[in-house]
Amino acid sequence: MNVVVCVKQIPDPADPGALDPNTKTLKRDVKLILDESDSYGVEMALQLVDTAGGGEVTLVSMAPNSEVGGLRTALAMGAAKAVLVSDEALAGSDALGTSKVLAKAIERAGEADLIITATESSDGYTGTVPEQIAELMGLPSITFAKSIAVEGGTVKVQRQTEAGYDDVEAPTPAVVSVTAGVVEPRYPSFKGIMAAKSKPVDEVTVADLGIDASQVGWAGAGQEILEIAAAEEREAGTIVEDDGEGFQKIVDYLAELKVI
Amino acid sequence: MSAKRIPGEVDPLDVLAIDSLLSDEELLGRDTVRRFVADKVLPEVGVWFDEGRFPAEMAKEFGALGLLGMHLEGYGCAGVSATQYGLACLELEAGDSGVRSFVSVQGSLAMFPIWAFGSEEQKTTWLPGMAAGELIGCFGLTEPDSGSDPGSMRTTARQDPSGDWILDGTKMWITNGSVADVAVVWARTDPDGPDAGKVRGFVVPTDTAGFSAPEIHRKVSLRASVTSELVLDSVRLPASAVLPEVSGMRGPLSCLNEARFGISFGACGAARACYEAALEYAGQRVQFDRPIASFQLTQRKLVEMMVAVQRGTLVALHVGRMKDLGTLASPQISFAKMDNVRMALEVAREARSVLGANGITTEYPVIRHMNNLESVYTYEGTNEVHTLILGNAITGIPAFG
């Protein structure tokens, strides 16, 4: 079974990023790493291929400056190869533009039984790319998967809900977005790190994918960022001394939040 | 863990930006081990230390990560650079010196001699299982009466007319001894035999009759590590048990050089962990209505610790680069082992003083590292022996032996 995983390479959340005041977007000229929320999809894809007893995991990513840092991490985990789209024309792409590029890159990656994504990236958080990819490719889309099994030509998904999960099925190929935290991503082993050095990364431009540059980046963006502002400082919490009735205060507080 | 950094300012945990000297691949490997230690070692190691045990099941986790014999090529080993191996040792020892010792002994002392001096049969029999952590190895050189002067060993190996070897003697302070499946034992051959009394290495399955490995208890250092005595009571081995490609003290000493190299990085990890604990504590501990980090005496301690850790890490990295280039000389390994372990011990003691009374409990990592480092100061060539190796290197006059 062949699985394509869309992975995003993002600025390291441990180093506070900066917003470019001119473009009003996140500065991405720093070293990029694998978005942690994509590591779950990579792990799930590797497990699916292991279970199937054959096939490979291919990564698809769109990043500036030919960045492969995050791809190497996923290749070291066990993915076989990657398609990287890197092109100056992509700067400023909105979610739909990104989806158009990724859809073409997925086609370039070869025949896939399944396309896995995260539910949302850790830097952009639009959470709309997986469904847009599915629509553009004319494929079924299942979101918020907590487990995935492929049997015959059917993908069976436990789709996470607020109350538990729904069992959902679709014919393959399909686009499935994976909820963060549902599997434990493996560590990239040292053998994997050594092997990753020679795994192929197919770097392509927008033109290579047959996309008109006017359809992506700032030129093709259907959205405009009008203003960026600092988030409000978080308010200080309330400290309550426990006079023996502390439990009641907690219960009252949770009731006020309507969580109990 | 890397602290939040303000753009344009320095990282308090890497003031000289030593990370910028590492390749992406080295950073990926380093960060993976760091995460592994944070996930699997740090939450448990205080308990292992208190209970005086090392969980054998960790061996397979180390194996899965590729840490065991990672700098060797083939036979299931990852074949990474010496620098990458050193960086892994650094991160493991930031967890605990006992944990790093397990990996050092397995890779550098048990697997390395089989890999470097063993027969093809010995390599294929032992190395893949050892790389996977399914088989544990130990290294028997030191004896109760033979430490810094290993050439004075009393363990003997005599070959009987059938070709079998018979080993007799006692080895002491052997890491992993009681949990090992295989021991690489160094013994002196018969002066009148074909090896003319030279020291030879033997691959000894620990279930061989006459072999036993009682554990040494009552340690207050390296408690999360198994330390044993090896008793060889007429241990009969086939002729094929000898390591064919080496004879004389060059064999064990080349293994020690491998392990010492890893220790020079590892000590920086222990020191860094102590510095980080002290830095965090000093920022939180309030006395006289101010965090103690605001006092000049404490700031000086923190800065001295930080400078020492950074300097030691640069030394280790330099030595690692030389080893990868194939230019590293033995006295240079002595420099790094001697100075970095001494540095780490001083940093641990200074950190302990910053933590005050809290510094003496295993609730915090500092005294655990401090106690461990007392062993690291002595094993793999004592501080004194490395000093004299360097003394010989710069004067041309050996002061020992």
Side-chain angles (χ1 to χ4, degrees):
Chain A
M1 183 171 61
N2 294 321
V3 183
V4 169
V5 186
C6 297
V7 297
K8 191 165 184 182
Q9 304 177 88
I10 63 170
D12 189 344
D15 291 330
L19 291 165
D20 184 326
N22 296 320
T23 65
K24 305 187 182 71
T25 58
L26 192 62
K27 282 188 179 175
R28 293 175 188 280
D29 52 356
V30 295
K31 181 176 152 49
L32 304 181
I33 64 166
L34 179 69
D35 187 344
E36 193 200 340
S37 49
D38 288 322
S39 63
Y40 305 100
V42 173
E43 176 61 35
M44 218 170 232
L46 292 169
Q47 289 182 13
L48 284 168
V49 168
D50 281 348
T51 305
E56 59 185 25
V57 175
T58 304
L59 309 167
V60 163
S61 189
M62 174 177 132
N65 307 323
S66 304
E67 178 67 50
V68 292
L71 288 177
R72 290 284 171 218
T73 302
L75 290 169
M77 287 171 72
K81 62 189 199 310
V83 177
L84 171 67
V85 193
S86 197
D87 194 321
E88 283 179 13
L90 290 169
S93 291
D94 60 7
L96 183 57
T98 303
S99 303
K100 287 176 185 168
V101 172
L102 290 177
K104 288 288 181 195
I106 291 164
E107 282 172 13
R108 186 179 173 97
E111 207 156 294
D113 300 286
L114 205 61
I115 294 120
I116 290 181
T117 68
T119 53
E120 59 200 356
S121 62
S122 302
D123 59 348
Y125 276 113
T126 68
T128 56
V129 168
E131 300 75 23
Q132 290 175 349
I133 290 173
E135 177 63 23
L136 289 165
M137 295 184 75
L139 297 177
S141 161
I142 302 177
T143 51
F144 301 107
K146 67 192 286 274
S147 85
I148 305 175
V150 177
E151 290 167 25
T154 305
V155 55
K156 299 181 174 184
V157 170
Q158 291 182 348
R159 182 181 188 276
Q160 202 153 2
T161 65
E162 281 185 13
Y165 64 86
D166 293 332
D167 285 313
V168 184
E169 290 183 12
T172 58
V175 180
V176 180
S177 71
V178 171
T179 307
V182 293
V183 285
E184 190 179 341
R186 66 195 64 188
Y187 300 100
S189 75
F190 280 98
K191 271 197 234 177
I193 291 170
M194 294 300 283
K197 285 198 286 190
S198 54
K199 287 180 176 174
V201 176
D202 175 23
E203 188 184 331
V204 295
T205 62
V206 167
D208 293 332
L209 295 175
I211 297 173
D212 187 326
S214 68
Q215 299 298 302
V216 294
W218 294 115
Q223 70 177 26
E224 190 182 350
I225 302 166
L226 299 176
E227 191 185 357
I228 48 173
E232 277 181 36
E233 290 279 335
R234 219 178 269 182
E235 285 179 32
T238 314
I239 296 171
V240 181
E241 291 286 333
D242 184 11
D243 53 4
E245 298 291 319
F247 67 92
Q248 191 57 49
K249 300 215 164 81
I250 293 171
V251 170
D252 292 345
Y253 178 68
L254 292 175
E256 188 186 318
L257 292 176
K258 296 192 169 61
V259 294
I260 54 171
Chain B
M1 302 293 98
S2 110
K4 295 261 180 188
R5 195 183 320 167
I6 301 160
E9 302 211 350
V10 298
D11 179 350
L13 306 184
D14 183 17
V15 170
L16 289 177
I18 295 173
D19 276 8
S20 66
L21 301 175
L22 305 179
S23 70
D24 285 354
E25 185 186 318
E26 287 166 343
L27 285 169
L28 175 56
R30 192 278 306 270
D31 290 347
T32 299
V33 182
R34 189 178 284 193
R35 187 154 63 88
F36 174 84
V37 168
D39 293 347
K40 310 271 181 167
V41 175
L42 290 177
E44 304 291 339
V45 69
V47 175
W48 301 340
F49 187 93
D50 286 344
E51 295 176 355
R53 67 187 178 89
F54 178 75
E57 62 269 19
M58 284 300 290
K60 287 185 185 144
E61 303 226 24
F62 294 150
L65 200 52
L67 287 168
L68 304 175
M70 62 192 287
H71 58 313
L72 309 178
E73 290 272 359
Y75 305 98
C77 304
V80 302
S81 68
T83 303
Q84 184 77 275
Y85 168 59
L87 292 167
C89 287
L90 190 153
E91 294 303 325
L92 288 167
E93 194 149 354
D96 189 83
S97 301
V99 172
R100 198 269 308 141
S101 294
F102 182 97
V103 172
S104 289
V105 167
Q106 179 86 346
S108 289
L109 295 183
M111 294 174 73
F112 174 77
I114 297 174
W115 180 84
F117 310 125
S119 65
E120 191 57 31
E121 186 193 347
Q122 287 167 339
K123 292 179 196 181
T124 51
T125 301
W126 295 107
L127 292 179
M130 293 174 85
E134 287 157 4
L135 298 171
I136 295 174
C138 69
F139 175 87
L141 177 66
T142 297
E143 299 185 356
D145 297 316
S146 175
S148 293
D149 180 15
S152 68
M153 71 172 66
R154 293 182 190 166
T155 298
T156 58
R158 62 192 166 80
Q159 208 163 14
D160 76 3
S162 73
D164 283 359
W165 290 94
I166 295 119
L167 268 57
D168 280 287
T170 305
K171 298 292 180 181
M172 196 69 177
W173 308 116
I174 308 304
T175 299
N176 296 351
S178 310
V179 294
D181 300 283
V182 60
V184 173
V185 174
W186 303 91
R188 187 165 294 287
T189 56
D190 189 344
D192 301 324
D195 288 294
K198 283 195 165 174
V199 166
R200 299 296 303 263
F202 296 87
V203 181
V204 186
T206 55
D207 58 1
T208 310
F211 182 99
S212 60
E215 188 169 349
I216 297 169
H217 295 289
R218 306 182 73 174
K219 289 182 300 173
V220 290
S221 177
L222 291 185
R223 287 181 56 76
S225 172
V226 173
T227 313
S228 314
E229 185 181 350
L230 304 185
V231 181
L232 301 137
D233 182 7
S234 297
V235 172
R236 179 175 285 271
L237 300 165
S240 61
V242 73
L243 292 171
E245 303 298 332
V246 72
S247 84
M249 288 306 292
R250 183 176 74 84
L253 293 181
S254 62
C255 301
L256 292 177
N257 265 344
E258 290 292 305
R260 291 166 178 174
F261 168 80
I263 291 168
S264 69
F265 278 82
C268 298
R272 188 192 72 199
C274 292
Y275 160 64
E276 289 182 11
L279 183 64
E280 184 180 351
Y281 187 88
Q284 293 171 352
R285 172 74 173 177
V286 173
Q287 289 292 283
F288 305 103
D289 300 322
R290 305 158 66 182
I292 62 171
S294 66
F295 296 116
Q296 291 182 4
L297 286 176
T298 305
Q299 285 202 0
R300 174 168 187 174
K301 288 180 187 182
L302 295 171
V303 168
E304 295 290 350
M305 282 188 266
M306 178 277 291
V307 168
V309 174
Q310 292 270 288
R311 200 161 51 197
T313 307
L314 280 176
V315 169
L317 194 56
H318 176 59
V319 165
R321 298 293 185 219
M322 284 196 285
K323 188 161 166 54
D324 282 324
L325 287 171
T327 61
L328 184 63
S330 176
Q332 292 165 332
I333 300 179
S334 288
F335 183 121
K337 196 274 181 182
M338 177 196 77
D339 198 46
N340 280 1
V341 177
R342 173 176 67 185
M343 171 278 290
L345 199 47
E346 285 166 4
V347 167
R349 289 171 179 157
E350 193 80 295
R352 211 290 307 154
S353 79
V354 172
L355 268 69
N358 283 309
I360 70 163
T361 77
T362 55
E363 293 270 319
Y364 294 86
V366 172
I367 201 152
R368 178 167 52 76
H369 284 299
M370 187 166 121
N371 280 14
N372 285 340
L373 286 163
E374 290 291 351
S375 295
V376 182
Y377 190 74
T378 289
Y379 75 16
E380 306 292 344
T382 62
N383 174 274
E384 293 79 358
V385 162
H386 287 302
T387 304
L388 296 183
I389 289 172
L390 286 164
N392 185 13
I394 61 173
T395 65
I397 308 167
F400 60 93

